[in-house]
Amino acid sequence: QVQLQQSGAELVKPGASVKMSCKAFGYTFTTYPIEWMKQNHGKSLEWIGNFHPYNDDTKYNEKFKGKAKLTVEKSSSTVYLELSRLTSDDSAVYYCARGGVVDAMDYWGQGTSVTVSS
Amino acid sequence: DIVMTQAAFSNPVTLGTSASISCRSSKSLLHSNGITYLYWYLQKPGQSPQLLIYQMSNLASGVPDRFSSSGSGTDFTLRISRVEAEDVGVYYCAQNLELPFTFGSGTKLEIK
């Protein structure tokens, strides 16, 4: 069955970078884009961007340009989100989701918690 | 960016009765192809969001038919008939009409 498995929680220092992963199972990886969202504690969801493994097309929310970078490792059906120059504002849970057949985010990963603290 | 507006809390409902949750968009989500790009997600406590409704009125796979959704181009309503305890959580509306995709702030379903 379709699953998205995300990497574990991260504790990182201010100014550093973090790279988290989203590994897809149970479907043809190149068929659908992978979407990434940020959820501050107890708050709403922000769309960061998406990556389509079929043609490597990448789109970013303007707000996250320069902060987020999406890459792929097709051999392992994995999309990566790297966040740079971390501040306390980047402390959040980050979700990946599959952009499915009907343009909906139909399957979600379990989330990766990032805490930025010295 | 398209702004999605939701109330923070629903009207309190008793289990077994109906609930409605509203959402408004700052721009019509009706595309020229006739599809309205409005989605509903539920985030249960401690869980990831899950898809309930796609393209305004279509039930996602595995979602009970107690859930339904309707609306115009900018005003939308999610209805839950016969609310069950497992329905508690925060309901988010979202738009995929144009980038950046945006979400409402979420409505917490209140049970009496």
Side-chain angles (χ1 to χ4, degrees):
Chain A
Q1 85 245 35
V2 176
Q3 286 186 51
L4 297 177
Q5 187 174 83
Q6 296 187 239
S7 48
E10 301 271 5
L11 173 61
V12 290
K13 295 189 184 307
S17 297
V18 68
K19 189 172 184 178
M20 65 194 83
S21 64
C22 173
K23 184 175 173 62
F25 297 88
Y27 70 97
T28 302
F29 179 62
T30 52
T31 304
Y32 304 106
I34 295 291
E35 315 280 347
W36 285 88
M37 274 64 62
K38 176 185 181 183
Q39 186 170 41
N40 291 310
H41 179 67
K43 299 198 183 298
S44 187
L45 297 150
E46 285 185 283
W47 180 77
I48 297 171
N50 65 21
F51 186 101
H52 204 310
Y54 177 75
N55 56 6
D56 293 356
D57 184 42
T58 310
K59 296 181 174 64
Y60 294 98
N61 186 333
E62 283 290 330
K63 179 179 177 181
F64 291 93
K65 283 185 178 177
K67 167 65 66 179
K69 182 179 179 182
L70 299 177
T71 55
V72 70
E73 183 177 79
K74 293 183 184 179
S75 62
S76 64
S77 300
T78 302
V79 176
Y80 297 90
L81 168 65
E82 183 172 14
L83 302 172
S84 58
R85 298 183 302 280
L86 292 167
T87 72
S88 57
D89 288 343
D90 299 312
S91 294
V93 176
Y94 293 84
Y95 290 101
C96 65
R98 190 182 80 164
V101 177
V102 290
D103 299 310
M105 298 171 196
D106 58 359
Y107 291 90
W108 293 63
Q110 80 275 24
T112 295
S113 175
V114 173
T115 302
V116 182
S117 174
S118 53
Chain B
D1 299 359
I2 296 177
V3 177
M4 307 297 290
T5 302
Q6 297 181 252
F9 299 95
S10 71
N11 291 324
V13 296
T14 302
L15 294 177
T17 65
S18 297
S20 292
I21 294 172
S22 299
C23 170
R24 176 169 290 175
S25 59
S26 62
K27 176 180 176 178
S28 176
L29 303 183
L30 175 61
H31 192 277
S32 56
N33 63 10
I35 295 173
T36 301
Y37 287 89
L38 183 278
Y39 301 79
W40 288 100
Y41 298 89
L42 166 60
Q43 187 170 30
K44 297 182 179 182
Q47 296 187 19
S48 304
Q50 61 187 86
L51 176 66
L52 294 177
I53 301 285
Y54 63 92
Q55 295 171 359
M56 191 177 72
S57 58
N58 299 286
L59 215 56
S61 176
V63 175
D65 61 7
R66 301 183 291 101
F67 290 87
S68 63
S69 171
S70 61
S72 63
T74 58
D75 289 273
F76 309 97
T77 303
L78 176 72
R79 292 184 177 84
I80 313 169
S81 62
R82 305 182 305 280
V83 170
E84 298 184 1
E86 66 176 22
D87 300 334
V88 299
V90 179
Y91 290 79
Y92 294 97
C93 59
Q95 65 82 22
N96 280 25
L97 178 69
E98 60 184 44
L99 298 180
F101 301 149
T102 49
F103 293 81
S105 54
T107 299
K108 187 173 183 179
L109 181 65
E110 295 269 273
I111 306 294
K112 284 181 187 174

